[in-house]
Every structure is written in C-alpha cells, then in structure tokens.
Amino acid sequence: MSRSLGDYANSGDTGAMRRGFGHYVRAGYGGSGTAARRMGGTAATAGALGGVLAGLAGGQAAQPGSPLDPALLAGRSAGEIIGAVVEAVRPVDGTQDAEASRAAIRDALSELLTRFPDADLLNLTPEEREFVIERFTAHDVFRRFDLDVGQTIREKAPSVATALSRLKQAREYVKETVAAAFRKLRAAGRPLTAGRITTVVRAALRETFEVFEGYAE
C-alpha cells in the first residue's frame, strides 16, 4: 500500500493511485466487506443528514433549543445555515471520525451551492438532497482515507504543492467512484428515497470498496 501510494505521490501515475486504494481496502481493512462495515457510521450520518434536510424542506418544527430552529435561522447566511446543519447532524464528540464527518457535511453543502447556485438550503429539492447525500458519502470516504494514509502522500510527494494536487486528484477519483456506485444502485431500482438512505448508502459504500479492492489484484 505504502509503495503504491508513494509511487503515486512521486510520479502522479493514476494506476499507482488506484493500486494504492486497492491495497488500502485489502490490507488496511481486510477487504471491501469489512471496509463497508467499518464505515457504517458514514451510512448512519448520511441517514441523519437526509432526515434533517427533508425536515427543513418540509417545514418540520425543530426541537426546542435545536440549532435548526427557524427563528434562529431566519436571515442567516449560507455559511451559518451550513454550520447549524452540521451541529444538528453530527455534534462534536472529540473523535477524529466526528471531525471528518462534520467537514464532509460542510464540503457537500458547499459543493451543492457551487453546482446549484440558486439552491435554498432551507428548502432543498429531492434532487438537491440526493446530491448532498452522494457528495457527503464521497467526502467522508476520502477524509477517512486521508486520515489513514494521506501522510504517506504528503511525505513522498516532491513538494507541498504537489502533495496537495495528488490529494485533490485522489479525492476526485473517490467522488467519481462513489457517484458511479449510486448510479448503479438507481439503475437497479434502489434510489435515495426517504427512509432508505442509510441502507442505500451502505450498499453504495460496499460497491465503492469493491471497485477499489479490484485494483489490488
């Protein structure tokens, strides 16, 4: 794993990057099935995120003291609303996993506003909510990868700028692979519908890690 990622960090060879992901899943987690189970928290957080976004869009009353209280959110900036969603979905608990997931939620909602500039964070359409769930899943997978082995890429790259470029490329690869997994599930009749988000995300994670592991052959 370290050799493949080191080769990728030094040369930028995408084949070495894919092999690095493959060995990361196979050697680091013991295979795609175990990796998907270990990422069960991602699926659970995705379900919570979907519930919060659907509740906002449906005008669901927030619990007293909730950061999603409409009275508190009225007139707030996009950044402040994103912060409130993060607090409601994944409160701080002092763990690296929580920090990674909080950052992944922010990344996903920020990317939503880039893709859909007119999106209303307090009233997202089903399409927009699906986009957020997909991107959250991808960002959370990448951030876990970065926590586990990103330091190898930083150390082996010829410069700081190159390391950042390599990590960005790896993140884009994760996003593409995760998006393909969700497309495959939709085509098989398993869309991201309310009440099924956690289950579908769990299946998408399994599909994603199977693709990664395939490059370890």
Side-chain angles (χ1 to χ4, degrees):
M1 174 171 58
S2 294
R3 185 175 68 182
S4 295
L5 290 175
D7 289 345
Y8 167 63
N10 187 55
S11 68
D13 176 59
T14 55
M17 176 189 70
R18 292 189 182 97
R19 288 191 298 275
F21 272 100
H23 291 300
Y24 167 66
V25 170
R26 177 168 291 180
Y29 283 99
S32 56
T34 302
R37 287 193 294 274
R38 290 279 296 277
M39 292 288 284
T42 298
T45 300
L49 176 59
V52 163
L53 296 178
L56 286 172
Q60 182 177 321
Q63 294 294 323
S66 165
L68 298 177
D69 184 340
L72 297 177
L73 294 179
R76 299 288 185 174
S77 68
E80 289 170 323
I81 293 172
I82 288 173
V85 170
V86 170
E87 291 302 325
V89 175
R90 196 68 163 95
V92 172
D93 67 8
T95 66
Q96 285 188 319
D97 283 354
E99 287 308 306
S101 290
R102 287 166 62 84
I105 296 169
R106 288 193 196 92
D107 291 342
L109 288 168
S110 297
E111 196 169 341
L112 168 80
L113 294 178
T114 299
R115 176 71 67 90
F116 302 98
D118 297 325
D120 177 357
L121 291 171
L122 298 179
N123 189 24
L124 296 180
T125 66
E127 178 191 10
E128 291 165 346
R129 296 199 298 271
E130 285 187 21
F131 178 85
V132 172
I133 296 301
E134 287 190 20
R135 283 299 192 257
F136 161 74
T137 303
H139 283 295
D140 210 40
V141 169
F142 173 73
R143 285 185 173 276
R144 179 70 63 88
F145 170 83
D146 192 13
L147 280 172
D148 290 341
V149 298
Q151 192 58 32
T152 296
I153 294 175
R154 291 179 176 84
E155 291 174 351
K156 300 295 185 181
S159 68
V160 173
T162 300
L164 291 174
S165 176
R166 301 283 193 259
L167 289 166
K168 181 179 179 181
Q169 186 177 18
R171 185 181 65 207
E172 291 304 310
Y173 170 63
V174 172
K175 285 162 62 174
E176 291 167 8
T177 307
V178 169
F182 279 106
R183 285 196 301 272
K184 183 175 179 178
L185 289 167
R186 275 196 297 273
R190 301 182 69 184
L192 276 169
T193 52
R196 298 181 58 194
I197 291 175
T198 299
T199 300
V200 173
V201 170
R202 192 177 293 120
L205 288 168
R206 178 64 180 263
E207 175 69 24
T208 297
F209 289 127
E210 285 178 355
V211 171
F212 289 163
E213 189 179 14
Y215 286 107
E217 301 296 344

